[in-house]
């Protein structure tokens, strides 16, 4: 080591003209690298090599004065890193790891919300819809539980309007379960033909009429487990009857309801029974029936399947799907249906609250509104 240092000294003083110039950088180097100034010349590159300054120092010792200037410049640029050489290396590694973890951490937060936030948003949406549709109601005309259960079975794969235009003649001829059970199937088919699938529907409504007459004394049962045993009656139909004819809470998962709750990210479920369970957990049981009316009303009037009127939607700030439809307010108004668009509703005999809100009764079969 002494021999190496001895050789390094002549190397610094050998060129007479550059001796003075070289001595200055050497002193400067010793002044900047104080911890390494007491070490020999060769031990210094070993230490500074860890801080990526070894290549800059070794050329400075053997090169002319012209090359020493870049060496100074290199030291000047790297001197801020000398204060924490080891930390600089860690800093380069850790951000890379953090960057790899960041997308995974952000994706769930951006695409989901906490359970508490979901419940609050869902209930706020329902409150907004309650203010928008204070007259929400079942859109099937009925006067008793028997008429409601028959009309609901007939509403499969058709509109409530078409059912409402068809049932007056049906109930006028067959007012009780016993009457319908004893009817001529061909005559029933001819009456309900406008609703579509009339043969299958005739079989269902005559079958449930017979079951009511034979098993329940001609009365519609008020229990879910009894209703679902009737021909053509599933959970959706049962909850319509329970909620609107008996005042017992139930969630009606029809096409509109299932479509909107998925659009609002209340659930990702598609099976009606699973949708019913998931949404039922977000709301108190006492609100289930009116919640169904609010959602279905909104789906029929504003939040359409193909062209939702986003620009006229009262819950736009709360909707994660805002923008899927027309966002211009004036253009969106033209997409509104039923009373929101100034058109007739689906019931021939709607509730008074609906009429007070500007709703127009639907015309009878083959009729027009004046």
């Amino acid at each position: 080591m002494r021999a190496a240092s001895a050789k390094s000294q002549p190397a610094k003083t050998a060129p007479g003209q550059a001796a003075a110039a070289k001595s200055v950088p050497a002193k400067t180097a010793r002044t900047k690298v104080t911890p390494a100034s007491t070490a020999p010349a060769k031990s210094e590159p070993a230490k500074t090599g860890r801080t990526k300054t070894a290549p800059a120092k070794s050329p400075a010792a053997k090169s002319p004065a012209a090359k020493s200037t870049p060496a100074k410049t290199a030291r000047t640029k790297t001197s801020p890193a000398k204060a924490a050489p080891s930390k600089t290396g860690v800093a380069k590694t850790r951000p890379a790891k953090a960057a790899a973890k960041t997308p995974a951490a952000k994706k769930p937060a951006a695409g989901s919300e906490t359970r508490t936030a979901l419940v609050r948003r869902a209930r706020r949406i329902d409150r907004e819809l309650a203010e928008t549709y204070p007259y929400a109601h079942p859109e099937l005309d009925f006067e008793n539980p028997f008429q409601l259960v028959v009309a609901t079975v007939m509403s499969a794969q058709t509109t409530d309007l078409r059912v409402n235009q068809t049932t007056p003649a049906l109930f006028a001829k067959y007012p009780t379960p016993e009457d319908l059970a004893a009817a001529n199937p061909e005559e029933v088919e001819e009456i309900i033909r406008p609703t579509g699938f009339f043969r299958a529907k005739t079989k269902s409504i005559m079958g449930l009429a017979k079951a009511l007459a034979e098993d329940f004394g001609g009365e519609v049962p008020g229990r879910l487990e009894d209703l679902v045993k009737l021909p053509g009656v599933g959970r959706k139909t049962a909850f319509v009857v329970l909620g609107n004819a008996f005042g017992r809470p139930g969630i009606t998962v029809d096409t509109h309801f299932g479509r909107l709750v998925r659009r609002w990210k209340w659930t990702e479920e598609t099976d009606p029974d699973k949708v019913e369970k998931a949404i039922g957990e977000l709301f108190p049981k006492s609100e289930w029936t009116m919640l169904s009316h609010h959602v279905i009303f909104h789906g029929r009037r504003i939040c359409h399947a193909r062209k939702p009127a986003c620009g006229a939607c009262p819950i736009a700030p709360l909707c994660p799907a805002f923008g899927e439809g027309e966002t211009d307010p004036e253009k969106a108004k033209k997409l509104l249906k039923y009373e929101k668009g100034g058109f007739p509703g689906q019931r021939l005999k709607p509730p008074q609250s609906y009429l007070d809100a500007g709703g127009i009764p639907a015309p009878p079969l083959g009729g027009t509104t004046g």
Side-chain angles (χ1 to χ4, degrees), residues 133-193:
Y133 312 105
Y135 46 79
H137 57 271
E139 294 192 272
L140 288 170
D141 282 322
F142 70 98
E143 295 178 358
N144 54 57
F146 170 63
Q147 290 186 1
L148 180 57
V149 69
V150 170
T152 307
V153 171
M154 288 174 55
S155 69
Q157 300 183 32
T158 190
T159 64
D160 288 354
L161 171 60
R162 184 62 67 186
V163 174
N164 291 336
Q165 292 173 328
T166 305
T167 52
L170 179 69
F171 296 139
K173 192 168 185 177
Y174 311 108
T176 67
E178 291 81 1
D179 294 330
L180 184 57
N184 182 335
E186 293 181 358
E187 293 180 359
V188 175
E189 288 177 3
E190 190 60 30
I191 294 174
I192 70 171
R193 181 184 292 269

Side-chain angles (χ1 to χ4, degrees), residues 17-315:
Q17 295 178 351
K22 288 182 180 180
S23 63
V24 175
K27 289 179 181 179
T28 305
R30 291 176 184 175
T31 303
K32 289 182 179 179
V33 191
T34 306
S37 59
T38 56
K42 286 187 177 179
S43 63
E44 223 170 26
K47 292 181 180 179
T48 55
R50 296 176 184 173
T51 59
K52 298 182 181 180
T53 56
K57 191 162 187 177
S58 55
K62 297 180 181 181
S63 60
K67 294 182 180 179
S68 64
T69 303
K72 288 181 181 179
T73 306
R75 290 176 182 176
T76 303
K77 289 181 180 179
T78 56
S79 58
K82 283 184 179 181
S86 58
K87 290 181 181 178
T88 304
V90 174
K92 288 181 180 179
T93 306
R94 287 180 180 172
K97 291 181 180 178
K101 292 181 179 179
T102 301
K106 284 184 178 180
K107 280 180 182 178
S112 63
E113 57 190 335
T114 64
R115 180 70 177 179
T116 301
L118 171 60
V119 171
R120 288 176 179 173
R121 183 171 63 87
R123 295 185 181 183
R124 185 178 172 188
I125 286 177
D126 185 44
R127 290 194 297 271
E128 294 288 342
L129 295 181
E131 293 182 5
T132 305
Y133 312 105
Y135 46 79
H137 57 271
E139 294 192 272
L140 288 170
D141 282 322
F142 70 98
E143 295 178 358
N144 54 57
F146 170 63
Q147 290 186 1
L148 180 57
V149 69
V150 170
T152 307
V153 171
M154 288 174 55
S155 69
Q157 300 183 32
T158 190
T159 64
D160 288 354
L161 171 60
R162 184 62 67 186
V163 174
N164 291 336
Q165 292 173 328
T166 305
T167 52
L170 179 69
F171 296 139
K173 192 168 185 177
Y174 311 108
T176 67
E178 291 81 1
D179 294 330
L180 184 57
N184 182 335
E186 293 181 358
E187 293 180 359
V188 175
E189 288 177 3
E190 190 60 30
I191 294 174
I192 70 171
R193 181 184 292 269
T195 65
F197 302 94
F198 56 92
R199 291 189 179 88
K201 291 179 180 179
T202 295
K203 184 177 180 181
S204 293
I205 64 176
M206 290 188 67
L208 75 86
K210 183 179 180 181
L212 291 175
E214 294 180 355
D215 301 333
F216 298 97
E219 299 292 333
V220 177
R223 299 194 312 166
L224 176 65
E225 53 267 35
D226 292 330
L227 284 170
V228 295
K229 293 178 182 178
L230 298 174
V233 177
R235 289 180 68 88
K236 182 193 83 170
T237 299
F239 282 130
V240 170
V241 175
L242 289 173
N244 298 289
F246 294 98
R248 297 177 182 175
I251 294 177
T252 304
V253 184
D254 70 348
T255 302
H256 300 289
F257 191 94
R259 174 171 57 81
L260 263 62
V261 297
R262 285 187 290 273
R263 179 174 281 177
W264 295 336
K265 304 301 181 183
W266 287 5
T267 181
E268 298 295 331
E269 299 291 349
T270 56
D271 180 76
D273 291 349
K274 292 181 180 179
V275 171
E276 175 198 323
K277 182 178 184 300
I279 305 306
E281 293 174 351
L282 301 178
F283 294 88
K285 191 173 182 179
S286 59
E287 298 179 9
W288 287 357
T289 299
M290 288 309 300
L291 168 69
S292 300
H293 291 326
H294 296 155
V295 175
I296 294 170
F297 255 60
H298 192 62
R300 285 175 172 167
R301 285 151 178 78
I302 296 179
C303 196
H304 312 136
R306 295 181 181 176
K307 285 188 176 181
C310 295
C313 182
I315 62 166

